[in-house]
Amino acid sequence: MHLVIISGATRPQPKSNTAKIIAAFQKGFEENGNTTEVWYLSDRKQWDNAKNAFESNEHILIAFPLYAENIPGIMLEFLSGLKPKHNSHTKLAFIIQGGFPEACQSRCCEAYLKMLPAQLGCEYAGTLIKGDMFGLGMVDDKNREKMLAPFVEMGRHFAEKSCFEKYVADAFATPEYMPEKQIRMFNMIGRHISKFFMGSIAKKLGCKGNLYDKPYESSVNNPV
Amino acid sequence: MKKILLVNTLPENDLSVSNVVQALESEDNKVQVFYAYEKNFRPCVGCNVCWLITPGVCSQRDGYDELLKAYLANDAVIFLSGTTLNFVDCKMKNIIDRMLPLVTMGIHIVDGQCRHIPRYDKKFRFGLVYSGVADNEYLNYWMERVTLNFGGESLGAYPVSDVKGVSACI
């Protein structure tokens, strides 16, 4: 099977967590001689090729980061420029990756994705959701490999089924909500660790202010 | 009198714009219209600069900061959008994606779910009016979720033919 993969991420490929996820997915998908081509919407020069690939192939996967509860604006722009297919059996599948750990954060987007393929004359082939991906580009190689291993496995699954089966996608997406115990731990310790971690990253990046600064405070309830 | 910001991604001469302004003003609101159609705000590039390097300030200097200030200044914000693929138009999605500097990178848990800690002490009220074909039930659901992430309240999603609905909610 040949699979067209489109990255809907806005970050350039070298800095993109979605690109890392795609690479891991490709590894599992290509194990048995399957092939892929990948197009990155962050690079507008690739849009024509991505459009041609969408038009001339029947297996399409779009991977992207969750932006404001749905697909990123550039991905919406790209998709709205496609001509809906007629009498095709094109299957359209999706991978959503987000920063928060719970799968419930991506369900609103998933609901939209279930409607989207029909708008483009395609069939829906499932959505894979994975949270807690914010640190993917910041961890060491060993931890990154550990975080990406499930995507390699999902590549194998997709190669076999040509879709993401619901029960597999649901198991992959866990936790749906953070367990009570984890919430208690977060409130007691986790939030302090998280604050310290973010402060250290900011310092390394050259942040001179406070992460909770309010640069437009004077505008609050005060129209020009 | 309430101060309303109307963020409009329809062309300035679209009849829907004057209809919506008229409907909002008829409820004794003061309406500030932000014409975004010609602005072509760039998409959020996910650089995290607004969280980690210049907290609260976007790295893209294309005039979007005026909108950030206007969100804070007004009592309610109505997004007036065209539609594409059963959803808001691309310009509007880019505008909403760029609201990230209004929250911090810090996380707290609200009603059992992670949320970003708001940057300002401001209760946002967001509503959506759309011109074109879209799934109203879904857009209501989406607005609820979007506003939740800013610690705010959704005023709902309304087709332009039912703009009085949003006026009544404000």
Side-chain angles (χ1 to χ4, degrees):
Chain A
M1 187 195 341
H2 181 70
L3 178 66
V4 171
I5 305 177
I6 298 172
S7 167
T10 54
R11 275 189 207 167
Q13 188 189 342
K15 290 187 174 179
S16 164
N17 288 341
T18 302
K20 293 174 180 65
I21 287 168
I22 288 173
F25 183 90
Q26 280 178 285
K27 200 173 160 188
F29 181 81
E30 291 179 350
E31 275 176 2
N32 291 317
N34 294 304
T35 54
T36 57
E37 59 183 295
V38 189
W39 303 105
Y40 295 91
L41 299 184
S42 57
D43 176 7
R44 290 212 174 233
K45 290 191 216 88
Q46 297 191 28
W47 282 37
D48 283 347
N49 286 331
K51 190 178 172 190
N52 292 338
F54 174 84
E55 284 168 358
S56 53
N57 286 273
E58 291 200 328
H59 297 283
I60 320 275
L61 170 68
I62 308 182
F64 62 93
L66 185 68
Y67 265 38
E69 302 292 320
N70 209 299
I71 63 178
I74 62 157
M75 183 172 150
L76 182 63
E77 185 183 343
F78 172 77
L79 294 174
S80 64
L82 298 174
K83 280 185 197 152
K85 292 188 171 189
H86 293 288
N87 305 317
S88 91
H89 297 289
T90 301
K91 289 183 170 183
L92 195 48
F94 304 93
I95 296 176
I96 311 172
Q97 58 99 355
F100 288 150
E102 321 101 307
C104 65
Q105 305 279 358
S106 295
R107 295 299 180 197
C108 175
C109 180
E110 182 192 35
Y112 179 68
L113 297 176
K114 284 179 181 173
M115 300 189 285
L116 181 60
Q119 302 270 314
L120 298 167
C122 301
E123 295 167 19
Y124 178 65
T127 298
L128 216 54
I129 292 170
K130 198 67 175 172
D132 233 354
M133 290 287 110
F134 182 80
L136 191 58
M138 299 173 181
V139 296
D140 59 34
D141 289 349
K142 195 179 165 191
N143 278 311
R144 187 175 302 121
E145 198 176 327
K146 200 174 158 189
M147 288 170 82
L148 291 172
F151 289 99
V152 180
E153 187 51 40
M154 285 300 103
R156 292 185 191 114
H157 168 76
F158 197 87
E160 192 186 334
K161 303 290 181 185
S162 305
C163 67
F164 296 123
E165 291 186 314
K166 191 179 177 315
Y167 79 97
V168 174
D170 283 347
F172 179 85
T174 54
E176 186 66 28
Y177 295 95
M178 276 167 76
E180 284 288 332
K181 192 179 167 188
Q182 202 179 334
I183 291 175
R184 278 200 301 276
M185 288 299 286
F186 179 83
N187 285 333
M188 275 195 295
I189 306 164
R191 64 194 172 105
H192 302 295
I193 296 171
S194 157
K195 199 174 172 184
F196 175 77
F197 177 67
M198 286 183 280
S200 326
I201 299 171
K203 207 172 170 186
K204 272 185 203 163
L205 291 171
C207 175
K208 290 189 173 63
N210 181 313
L211 293 186
Y212 296 85
D213 275 349
K214 301 175 181 185
Y216 307 130
E217 177 70 3
S218 61
S219 296
V220 176
N221 302 328
N222 188 22
V224 178
Chain B
M1 181 185 284
K2 292 214 170 83
K3 297 164 291 181
I4 313 294
L5 171 68
L6 182 70
V7 181
N8 169 42
T9 56
L10 296 173
E12 199 169 333
N13 59 2
D14 191 302
L15 270 182
S16 301
V17 183
S18 48
N19 288 343
V20 172
V21 172
Q22 205 174 10
L24 293 172
E25 285 180 338
S26 70
E27 299 286 333
D28 200 28
N29 298 310
K30 187 179 174 194
V31 182
Q32 175 193 349
V33 188
F34 191 98
Y35 294 99
Y37 182 81
E38 299 288 347
K39 299 270 185 190
N40 283 323
F41 287 124
R42 292 194 286 267
C44 173
V45 291
C47 62
N48 292 325
V49 165
C50 67
W51 279 351
L52 287 168
I53 301 179
T54 55
V57 179
C58 180
S59 64
Q60 305 198 68
R61 303 302 162 94
D62 58 359
Y64 189 84
D65 56 332
E66 291 308 312
L67 259 181
L68 290 172
K69 291 173 194 169
Y71 296 139
L72 292 163
N74 286 279
D75 298 316
V77 180
I78 304 299
F79 298 103
L80 174 58
S81 175
T83 60
T84 186
L85 297 172
N86 250 347
F87 193 47
V88 295
D89 63 33
C90 318
K91 285 173 188 279
M92 185 56 77
K93 187 60 174 57
N94 281 334
I95 282 172
I96 291 177
D97 289 348
R98 293 273 303 270
M99 291 169 74
L100 224 51
L102 295 175
V103 294
T104 69
M105 197 186 196
I107 297 169
H108 61 170
I109 296 172
V110 182
D111 296 332
Q113 290 185 39
C114 290
R115 297 273 164 250
H116 287 290
I117 298 171
R119 187 172 297 282
Y120 300 94
D121 185 16
K122 166 85 184 178
K123 180 88 176 171
F124 292 109
R125 304 178 79 219
F126 297 142
L128 173 68
V129 178
Y130 58 92
S131 170
V133 178
D135 186 307
N136 181 262
E137 192 181 343
Y138 179 75
L139 287 179
N140 269 289
Y141 175 30
W142 179 65
M143 279 309 290
E144 284 286 345
R145 290 290 309 185
V146 169
T147 45
L148 208 57
N149 277 328
F150 291 95
E153 175 197 357
S154 171
L155 301 170
Y158 303 83
V160 85
S161 57
D162 185 24
V163 67
K164 285 198 180 300
V166 75
S167 307
C169 284
I170 294 168

